[in-house]
Amino acid sequence: MAARDKVDDTHEPTAAAARGAFEAHEVEMADKQAHTPLPEQVDIAVIGGGAVGLAAAIALSRQGWDVALVGPPAGRRDGRTVALMEGSLRILDDLGVWSALAPIASPLATLTIIDDTGGLFRAPPVSFHAGELGLDAFGQNIEVASLTEALSDAADRRPGLTRVDALATRVSLGADGGEVTLATGGTLRASLLVGAEGRESLVRDAAGIDARRWSYPQTALTAILAHDRPHHDASTEFHTRQGPFTLVPMQENRSSLVWLVEPARAEQLAALDDEDFAAVVERQAQSMLGRMRVDGPRGAVPMSGLSVSRFTGERCAVIGEAAHVFPPIGAQGLNLGFRDVAALAKATGPVGSDPGAAARLASFDRARRLDVATRTAAVDALNRSLLAGFLPVDMARGLGLMALLAIGPLRRFAMRQGLGLNA
């Protein structure tokens, strides 16, 4: 990953310049779409304009398929960031997107876990270093909006990919393909429908795919903060009794925050002004980064989970949050969605026959079951173990961290799994 990390920052775009260029591009592409007729039939229709849907549409069109991407562009900047691990960076490289993102991303060279539960049994801090795997960094942290903008730009310029800037209101599936009804009144048919429209997926519901849902007594607070001390490209995750408190490095002396707390406390913290909120975060971080101040939007998201019984149905597949949702622990969510994209592109194969054939969909379903199930179970178990407050559970979690600290091969195996390199 060394080549990706060595970026000439003398020409680094400012956030304002990047936003201005993107807005100008959006005007250009909106004019182009206004003069582009809606196709009646395509090989594959991807529903959902988020990062996973965009990546899927690009990847499938690169295979030679005639693809339509249905859904309005993602919304405004909200300050959320995503830690893209090495496996995802390789996928974005393959899609030709990473070069536009590298100048504004921040490397994650070290990952540290600190037990801050206050329990009777606490493991010492455990640090994972990318150099142990021969990498300069485990991945890169970037604002979700910047990632989506780069993917949207690539999708707009991709031959064989049609953007349909409209909401899907209805999906129907049959033996010969699927049909999407649009809010604008038109319809679109495809041999394969890909649901990437999030947890309320029309494709998943039309296919009758069972979805198990659950909730956690937690709300995730998000923010971007500036601080006096350098982070040295280290991400730190404090395990507290209410959930993880994580600071992920950004460019210069800035970090993004994901803090899981009880809903009542989340309301109290969200009501604080920026100065008081930053002071609370500084104390929670044990002042490891010095004085803090809010340097971007703040957000609050209730925590929940979702898993599906299968990833495919007749003439359809579901990916991203249409297939799996869990708390933002260990940077697994969006990275898992990108692996869905890679597996789907591999299963459908290059153009030549039927992209929605049962054998191809069965191959995709097999490819995703184990990876998604193990990640979902691991994140759920870790999160619930922090909330339990039960000594045997604390001991099991602490002994696991101590084993990772003491046993090099086990630690390196865990790191490779976290990066998605063995998925």
Side-chain angles (χ1 to χ4, degrees):
M1 217 180 76
R4 281 197 286 268
D5 292 336
K6 295 177 181 177
V7 177
D8 180 5
D9 59 8
T10 60
H11 296 88
E12 181 177 307
T14 64
R19 283 195 297 271
F22 178 70
E23 288 166 1
H25 173 69
E26 284 294 282
V27 171
E28 173 192 342
M29 297 315 299
D31 182 67
K32 177 182 175 182
Q33 279 201 356
H35 297 87
T36 302
L38 176 68
E40 294 183 2
Q41 174 83 37
V42 293
D43 295 324
I44 304 172
V46 179
I47 304 176
V52 172
L54 286 161
I58 296 168
L60 293 167
S61 68
R62 285 168 62 92
Q63 299 282 78
W65 299 110
D66 183 18
V67 178
L69 176 62
V70 179
R76 61 179 179 81
R77 289 179 177 269
D78 57 9
R80 290 183 301 126
T81 68
V82 58
L84 296 170
M85 295 306 183
E86 174 65 12
S88 293
L89 297 183
R90 294 180 184 181
I91 292 170
L92 292 173
D93 254 349
D94 289 341
L95 297 182
V97 173
W98 179 246
S99 61
L101 294 169
I104 53 175
S106 305
L108 310 178
T110 303
L111 308 176
T112 298
I113 298 175
I114 298 174
D115 189 333
D116 194 25
T117 60
L120 293 176
F121 186 92
R122 284 182 289 176
V126 178
S127 292
F128 304 90
H129 303 282
E132 294 185 67
L133 298 181
L135 301 172
D136 294 324
F138 289 114
Q140 302 279 334
N141 193 36
I142 191 166
E143 286 194 61
V144 173
S146 296
L147 170 64
T148 305
E149 287 167 8
L151 286 165
S152 182
D153 180 76
D156 288 335
R157 302 183 188 281
R158 177 70 204 161
L161 199 170
T162 302
R163 297 289 298 269
V164 181
D165 186 6
L167 284 171
T169 58
R170 183 175 179 273
V171 167
S172 60
L173 298 165
D176 59 346
E179 184 174 271
V180 183
T181 302
L182 306 173
T184 52
T187 59
L188 174 67
R189 291 192 57 80
S191 297
L192 171 64
L193 298 187
V194 179
E197 69 272 60
R199 60 191 73 191
E200 303 303 329
S201 170
L202 291 174
V203 174
R204 188 187 64 229
D205 291 347
I209 298 174
D210 292 332
R212 183 174 70 90
R213 301 170 184 262
W214 63 94
S215 61
Y216 298 93
Q218 296 166 302
T219 296
L221 299 177
T222 61
I224 294 175
L225 299 115
H227 37 79
D228 290 344
R229 296 176 187 166
H231 47 56
H232 300 296
D233 298 334
S235 176
T236 305
E237 183 171 292
F238 292 85
H239 286 176
T240 79
R241 190 53 76 195
Q242 294 188 17
F245 167 96
T246 308
L247 290 166
V248 188
M250 298 182 68
Q251 289 192 340
E252 300 177 344
N253 283 8
R254 299 163 70 237
S255 295
S256 59
L257 168 73
V258 181
W259 187 4
L260 272 61
V261 295
E262 294 175 347
R265 190 175 186 211
E267 289 185 13
Q268 296 171 352
L269 292 169
L272 297 175
D273 61 28
D274 285 353
E275 183 176 353
D276 288 340
F277 180 79
V280 173
V281 172
E282 181 184 330
R283 287 195 297 273
Q284 186 67 42
Q286 301 176 8
S287 297
M288 61 180 293
L289 296 175
R291 183 174 177 274
M292 290 187 163
R293 62 186 180 280
V294 174
D295 193 39
R298 292 160 51 184
V301 182
M303 289 293 93
S304 62
L306 178 148
S307 66
V308 294
S309 58
R310 50 195 168 92
F311 296 85
T312 62
E314 187 174 46
R315 294 285 172 179
C316 72
V318 290
I319 60 176
E321 288 199 343
H324 43 75
V325 178
F326 45 75
I329 298 174
Q332 293 299 305
L334 187 53
N335 288 282
L336 201 61
F338 283 145
R339 294 205 292 279
D340 294 343
V341 169
L344 183 62
K346 182 177 180 180
T348 56
V351 67
S353 59
D354 184 354
R360 295 189 182 213
L361 293 176
S363 174
F364 170 69
D365 184 69
R366 288 193 301 271
R368 299 311 297 142
R369 281 182 179 271
L370 181 60
D371 187 27
V372 173
T374 54
R375 311 289 164 157
T376 302
V379 169
D380 181 69
L382 174 57
N383 192 37
R384 293 185 188 278
S385 75
L386 295 173
L387 301 174
F390 188 43
L391 181 58
V393 176
D394 286 346
M395 290 181 66
R397 185 181 63 254
L399 289 171
L401 289 173
M402 291 174 68
L404 291 174
L405 180 64
I407 305 172
L410 177 62
R411 183 172 63 254
R412 288 187 288 274
F413 174 79
M415 287 190 284
R416 290 185 63 84
Q417 287 294 318
L419 297 183
L421 300 180
N422 293 337

